[in-house]
Structure formats: C-alpha cells, structure tokens
Amino acid sequence: LSARGRGETAENEAGEAMDQTVGGDGGERAFNFVSDEVPGRLAVSDSILLRPPSSSEGHAQDSAPVAVQAAPPSPRPESRTPRLQRGIQRELSADKAPNASGRRKSDVRFSGELDREAVPPSKERRRLSVEDRGPPECIPLNEVSAEQDKQIRDCLSQQWPLVVRTSVHVLTLTAVLAIAILNTTYPTRGMDSVVTLAPTINQAGRRRWLTRNCVTLSRELVLDDGFFRMNKHDIAASLDFYLGHLRRANDAVRLGGDHFITVGADFRNELHNEIMYDRGCPWRDDPSDCSTPERPGAAANGLYQLSLSFMEAVQNVLKRYGPPRSEYTDDFFRNTRAGEDFSVFENVTVDPERLKILEEDLDLVFIINSFNGDMFTGIALMVEVFDQELENIIEQAMADSQNIFVVYMLLIIASYLLFRRTVAAASLEAEKARAFVARIPAHALKQLEIDTIAQLFADDDQSDSAPAQSNEEV
C-alpha cells in the first residue's frame, strides 16, 4: 500500500508539472520523472516525448524541451511480505526490459497514448486493402535439407493410420478392378470347350441318323424288291455316300479337325475315352453281358471297335450285293417322292431267297440288329456324355461367376467402409487443426508473426497466387 501511495504521489506531481509546462510555446518537450520504481509506474529517468498540440489550440511552438523532475521518493517501509516482494520484482524486471524497438514498456505505452491524442480523428490510420498490400513478409524460418525432410516425412507416415495411407487406397482400388475383370474373364475360360462341344454334339447325334440310314439301305440293297423309292444302283451309291459320312463324323468326334470341331473328344473327355476304348459295353442295361453271336467280341472291346465292325460289315454287304462302283449313279440326290414318279415301282418282285439272306448273312444280321442295338445305343450314350460335359462347363462358369461376384461385393463394401473411415479421420484432423488455430493468441502477436503462422497453413499454389500481405500502414 505504501508503494502504491508513493507511486500515485509521483504521478500526481508529474501531472502538475506537465500542466504547467504544456501551456508554453515550443516544439517537443521532454519530461524526466523520478519514481519509486513501483510496478506499472514510470522508472527513474524515463523520458517521454510529447508532441505539442496544433496551433489551432492556441499554443506556441517551443523547440526547447523541458525537463521535469519528480519529488524525491519517500522512504520505503522496512518490512514487505515475500509474495508482494516477488510481484514487485517481476514487474520491475518486465518494465525495465526493452522491447524489439529498444524502448521500454513505459515509453511505448505512454508515447502511444500521446500519439492517439495528437492525431486528429479525420487522419486516423487505415490498413491497406488486400489488393494494395505488398509481398508477404514472414519471419525467416530455418531451411530444412532434403534428407531431413525425407526423415520427417517417413516418421510421420509411420504414425498415419491405415485408412489415410495412399497405398491402402491404391491397393483396394486395384483389387476391385482386378476382381471386376476376373469376374468377366475367368468364367469364360471354358469357352473354347463350349465352342467345340456345339459341333461335337451335332456330329455325335448325326452318327445315330447315319447308322440307321446305313442299316436301311443295306437291307434294301439285299432285297431289291422294288418297294423302295430307288433302284439298286441308286441304293448302292447312296449307301456308299452315307457310309463315308459316318466314317468322317466318327473321326471328327474323336480326333477333331473337321466339321468345325477344333479339339476332339479323345483329348478332352476322359469318360468318352473309357466308353470308346476300354473293354466292356456300358451302353447296355447289363454291362456284364457283351456277347454278340453274329460277330463275337465286337461289343466287348468298347464302342470304337464296335463302330469299326459295323462299318466293315456295311462295306462287305455293299461289295457282296451291290453293283460295281462304276455303275453308281447320283439320282438318289433328287429325293423323288412316290406320288411324283411311279416309275420306281415298275419292277415289284418279292424273292423269298433274298428274305433268307437277311437271316443267314451274319454281316447283314449284325447290321440289322444295330438299328436299335449296340451301335445305336452306344452312340446315344456318347451324345449324353457330351451333353453332360456342356452342362458341367456352364454350371462351373456360373458357380465361378457367382463366387467372384460375392468377393467383388465384399470388396465394394470394404472400400465404402474404408472411404468413410478416411473421411472421418480427415474430419478429425481438421477439427484438431481448427482447435490449434483457435488457441493461437493472435491478439498478442504482431502482424508479421500472424502472417508467418498463416503461411504454415497455405498450400504452395495458394501461397504463390494468394494476395500479398504487408505490415505497413498508411
């Protein structure tokens, strides 16, 4: 209390001295005050430059400064509390420490108050607009080398969560694109087999028709009774023609390379090979009984040996009962109907001896029994095998497509969740940055320091194209 009293006494005396001196003419006046170094008061030999008021106020200019001395300080009390003593020492050290301009706090505070009183309201200082500001002035920062910058970035990247790492997002997008492409390409890996199976099934089914056609023509060639639409020469030429197509179709199904079959069944279907080349007769109801009395062992060695025996028997019948090859005609291609041409029935004769041949010729008996026998049922079984192969390929493609699609949807959901976590992490970092900026004491910083802090939050492009800022005032 005594210190505050002494300070107030020194301030009052300084005010009275100022009132006595300001009324005179002259320029700037200097006042020297002596205080008791009380916190917040003027110190010993503090100088305050006072600008004289304008001539409109009736004051004369005086170039000689006037020095005013305060009254000597009153004696200090002997006893002070330790807390008060520490507070006084802090205020004295802060008041005596010069600021960046070399002036103490008391000089700056008092001079600022006098300046505000001396400047007319019409000439108040204004800050430059954004367009008028010069280049940004910032506190020069320490330059970071490329190696240090790399080390800092590596350390920071190790602390980043997985959801904000670029590699994670790149890996996720790559996986999504890969699965999308795989969903289209992988199920179609059996497309070559599908393309081959279409003509294979066609030729395998056509073999049944060719087999029955050979059986019918062989029987009519032996009978030659005039009840058929073709004469003997046409029947022989037709039988030779369809027998050749049966051989060609049989080889195309097995080996490929013909009738648009690129890969034969021998190279892709194990079940086909078992039926064709292994011993046994799986096309029969009782596979254990493969006996053929008219041609022993023909059905017991697989479908391939059976088909060779059938074509050999047809060839024997054609040579035995048909005319020479030189007498073959191509009239059978006309496919004449009975109602259009009755000349084919001019020689209608039934020869009982020829009927006996149907029962006595073993080759002919074997051929006739193949109409619904081993040859036909064996070829029909092969058609079922090819149909099942096609169905398996389609089912496998559908299953693969469904499985890959499930994986694709799971990746889409994972990408969505990852994106949401990334947005949440970015929002959290933005909140942290906003909280950090809110804690910056901008009111206690200089404009230069504020501009320096602002540059830390500006991008390189924004800092280059942003309007310039300056600390100058006009």
Side-chain angles (χ1 to χ4, degrees), residues 276-345:
M276 290 291 292
Y277 305 110
D278 291 350
R279 296 182 59 85
C281 48
W283 53 86
R284 287 190 176 185
D285 296 335
D286 185 9
S288 61
D289 184 12
C290 299
S291 61
T292 50
E294 61 277 9
R295 188 173 282 264
N301 295 320
L303 185 60
Y304 178 67
Q305 292 295 330
L306 179 64
S307 62
L308 292 180
S309 299
F310 175 81
M311 289 183 285
E312 181 183 0
V314 173
Q315 188 67 36
N316 294 335
V317 170
L318 181 61
K319 290 181 179 180
R320 187 179 303 135
Y321 303 102
R325 183 175 292 274
S326 60
E327 298 179 4
Y328 290 173
T329 63
D330 57 354
D331 294 340
F332 67 93
F333 285 111
R334 293 181 301 173
N335 195 16
T336 306
R337 296 293 180 181
E340 300 174 358
D341 186 5
F342 292 95
S343 62
V344 295
F345 298 105

Side-chain angles (χ1 to χ4, degrees), residues 16-32:
E16 292 175 0
M18 186 183 300
D19 294 337
Q20 294 175 4
T21 309
V22 168
D25 299 335
E28 295 181 348
R29 306 176 185 276
F31 297 88
N32 295 327

Side-chain angles (χ1 to χ4, degrees), residues 62 77 83 110 120 129 224 237 262 272 307 316 367 416 420 457 467:
D62 188 4
R83 184 175 182 181
F110 205 90
S129 62
D224 190 22
T262 57
H272 166 270
S307 62
N316 294 335
I367 293 172
Y416 171 74
R420 287 194 50 114
F457 295 93

